[in-house]
Amino acid sequence: MSAPVNVCVRTQGTCGSRNLLSCVTLGRALCMTAAETVVEEKSEGRKEVRKRGVDGRVRSFKEIPHTGKSGWVNLVKFWKEDRFGQLHKHMERTFNALGPIYRENVGTQSSVNIIMPPDIGELFRSEGLHPERMTLQPWATHRETRQHSKGVFLKSGEEWRADRLLLNKEVMMSASVKRFLPLLDEVARDFCRVLRVRVEREGRGEEGKRSLTIDPSPDLFRFALEASCHVIYGERIGLFSSSPSLESQKFIWAVERMLATTPPLLYLPHRLLVLIGAPLWIQHATAWDHIFSHAEARIQKGYQRLSTSQGQGSKAGIAGDQYNGVLGQLLKKGQLSLDLIKANITELMAGAVDTTAVPLQFALFELGRNPEVQERVRQQVRASWAQAGGDPQRALQGAPLLRGTMKEILRLY
């Protein structure tokens, strides 16, 4: 089953990963596409296909099946059944029951959910160059109450595209990736070293051949945080040292707390929670405050480092070309204001953790239950490293099975 995409109808609140630009236009397009997809899937013998309404005609928005009209009743069910922590399972059950497109009201959120790749493609094509993206309202409310600028995660339309194009140059273009791959490699080597030490210390079996069963989630979370901070700030935060600083531990807590409190806050009236000082909102806002203060300190250090290196380069008659992370590049080019740099850097850092750690965990899971594929990937990576002469980019280019594995993981999960 393909990964679900949560599509928002812009009513009262926030929602999933995309907003419908027009309830009427896109709603009709999606209904039509879903109906056609059902016919195709039925011919392939899929069991979960809906049996009703597959005549291919354009259907009204109101005809999309739904889980119940009362958002507050549904919210109570979500809380009682802990669906926030198992949202993917809830969506899978609902897709199997209602078909490839359904509506859902939960608290203040109204959403349309689609799962079939052709429907998702239809939605993305309809967005154009300036999509109306979802609003992570708890994040946006924090920025508004603290008078912080909003970064690319919280923007839409032309404003989003303007920031996104500038950030793409620093985080997605091949020249930029080539510059920060050594930073990722350094963190990955430390991560593997820490795991080996732990296996030797806690594992079972004879020395050199010990085995250890662990939950990799906390370790992958720390790897993703250390790696993303190294790339973004150009310096390590020390999560793999034998005694991480108290500041680093507080930072981990803040990111974990921010991520944990985000899902339930998506469904609640945020302004009311702010007004009454609800504990859930206080936890969320406090976590973000700490993340911003941490980012502020790193940005100030990065600015001072850049000023010093430019001054030394000027005295020597040369321009220093040392890579100082995404932050250093943005400061050096000066195409974004300092407030926007701070906003985007903070959101990049906060948004990079679970989106990296979760796919890696699924990759380990799939490789673990497909040992023959795991061995082929391992051998290809070792051979590629031997030929790359220490160049991570060349090593990646010589390991298509590794890239293919990660693409398949993203497709599946």
Side-chain angles (χ1 to χ4, degrees):
M1 177 166 281
S2 306
V5 172
N6 189 30
V7 185
C8 278
V9 179
R10 292 181 67 83
T11 52
Q12 300 179 51
T14 65
C15 13
S17 60
R18 296 280 172 171
N19 286 339
L20 286 182
L21 301 180
S22 165
C23 231
V24 177
T25 306
L26 273 182
R28 287 178 178 172
L30 287 170
C31 288
M32 180 66 176
T33 308
E36 292 170 344
T37 302
V38 170
V39 174
E40 295 168 1
E41 292 297 315
K42 186 178 180 182
S43 67
E44 296 174 8
R46 291 285 294 273
K47 293 181 180 180
E48 69 271 23
V49 174
R50 287 172 56 204
K51 304 300 182 183
R52 296 178 294 116
V54 291
D55 54 7
R57 71 179 178 87
V58 177
R59 312 183 79 84
S60 70
F61 180 81
K62 292 181 179 179
E63 289 181 86
I64 299 175
H66 57 80
T67 59
K69 294 182 179 180
S70 174
W72 299 110
V73 171
N74 287 339
L75 180 63
V76 172
K77 291 180 180 178
F78 262 63
W79 238 297
K80 289 178 65 176
E81 299 173 15
D82 191 28
R83 295 183 190 176
F84 292 119
Q86 302 288 328
L87 189 58
H88 58 297
K89 292 184 177 180
H90 161 72
M91 295 183 77
E92 183 178 19
R93 288 192 300 268
T94 311
F95 277 121
N96 286 338
L98 299 181
I101 176 169
Y102 72 87
R103 288 186 289 146
E104 186 161 53
N105 297 323
V106 181
T108 57
Q109 171 189 349
S110 295
S111 63
V112 176
N113 302 287
I114 59 177
I115 191 170
M116 296 298 184
D119 297 344
I120 297 169
E122 179 76 18
L123 173 66
F124 289 169
R125 283 189 294 272
S126 300
E127 288 184 321
L129 293 176
H130 304 119
E132 284 297 315
R133 304 175 67 252
M134 65 166 284
T135 299
L136 276 174
Q137 196 59 56
W139 297 21
T141 300
H142 172 266
R143 307 302 186 272
E144 292 160 6
T145 57
R146 299 301 195 265
Q147 297 184 329
H148 290 314
S149 296
K150 294 177 182 177
V152 70
F153 283 17
L154 299 176
K155 291 181 176 180
S156 288
E158 295 183 18
E159 194 177 27
W160 166 83
R161 181 171 172 79
D163 278 17
R164 179 64 193 261
L165 289 176
L166 291 175
L167 291 172
N168 280 357
K169 296 176 183 178
E170 307 306 330
V171 298
M172 295 187 71
M173 296 299 189
S174 57
S176 298
V177 173
K178 184 177 181 179
R179 300 186 78 179
F180 67 62
L181 268 178
L183 306 186
L184 292 177
D185 180 52
E186 178 186 326
V187 178
R189 289 177 181 274
D190 281 353
F191 178 58
C192 292
R193 174 185 53 78
V194 169
L195 287 182
R196 288 194 194 99
V197 170
R198 184 175 174 186
V199 169
E200 288 301 314
R201 184 178 65 245
E202 303 174 16
R204 297 178 179 178
E206 58 184 279
E207 189 173 347
K209 295 183 179 180
R210 299 186 191 278
S211 63
L212 179 66
T213 301
I214 62 171
D215 173 7
S217 300
D219 298 303
L220 291 173
F221 186 92
R222 283 166 172 73
F223 164 75
L225 189 55
E226 182 79 13
S228 60
C229 285
H230 198 195
V231 168
I232 290 171
Y233 299 125
E235 64 177 5
R236 302 285 295 270
I237 60 175
L239 299 183
F240 294 145
S241 65
S242 56
S243 55
S245 67
L246 181 60
E247 178 61 27
S248 294
Q249 295 296 335
K250 287 182 178 179
F251 183 56
I252 292 175
W253 172 88
V255 175
E256 289 176 336
R257 180 51 43 191
M258 180 275 294
L259 291 173
T261 53
T262 294
L265 285 171
L266 289 173
Y267 304 93
L268 297 169
H270 55 282
R271 297 201 180 280
L272 176 62
L273 297 180
V274 174
L275 185 64
I276 66 175
L280 186 64
W281 167 253
I282 296 297
Q283 289 182 40
H284 185 78
T286 301
W288 266 122
D289 289 343
H290 193 84
I291 291 170
F292 263 83
S293 66
H294 184 273
E296 176 74 33
R298 297 282 170 178
I299 290 169
Q300 289 297 330
K301 288 178 65 176
Y303 187 79
Q304 293 171 4
R305 190 167 61 240
L306 180 65
S307 299
T308 301
S309 65
Q310 286 180 336
Q312 292 174 345
S314 177
K315 289 180 181 178
I318 57 172
D321 195 38
Q322 179 183 355
Y323 184 67
N324 291 313
V326 174
L327 171 62
Q329 294 298 109
L330 292 175
L331 289 171
K332 187 184 299 184
K333 293 182 178 179
Q335 294 174 308
L336 288 172
S337 69
L338 198 57
D339 281 345
L340 285 179
I341 289 176
K342 178 180 177 181
N344 280 298
I345 284 293
T346 305
E347 289 175 14
L348 278 175
M349 182 275 304
V353 179
D354 58 329
T355 50
T356 301
V358 173
L360 283 176
Q361 183 164 348
F362 276 123
L364 293 176
F365 169 69
E366 286 294 345
L367 288 172
R369 68 176 188 169
N370 292 277
E372 71 288 346
V373 178
Q374 180 179 148
E375 188 56 30
R376 287 173 59 200
V377 172
R378 186 197 308 274
Q379 293 302 328
Q380 190 177 85
V381 167
R382 284 178 169 172
S384 181
W385 265 114
Q387 297 172 3
D391 184 341
Q393 189 171 43
R394 283 186 58 197
L396 278 178
Q397 291 170 348
L401 267 179
L402 179 62
R403 295 201 308 275
T405 296
M406 294 311 300
K407 286 184 178 180
E408 179 67 356
I409 294 305
L410 293 172
R411 185 189 73 82
L412 287 171
Y413 297 104

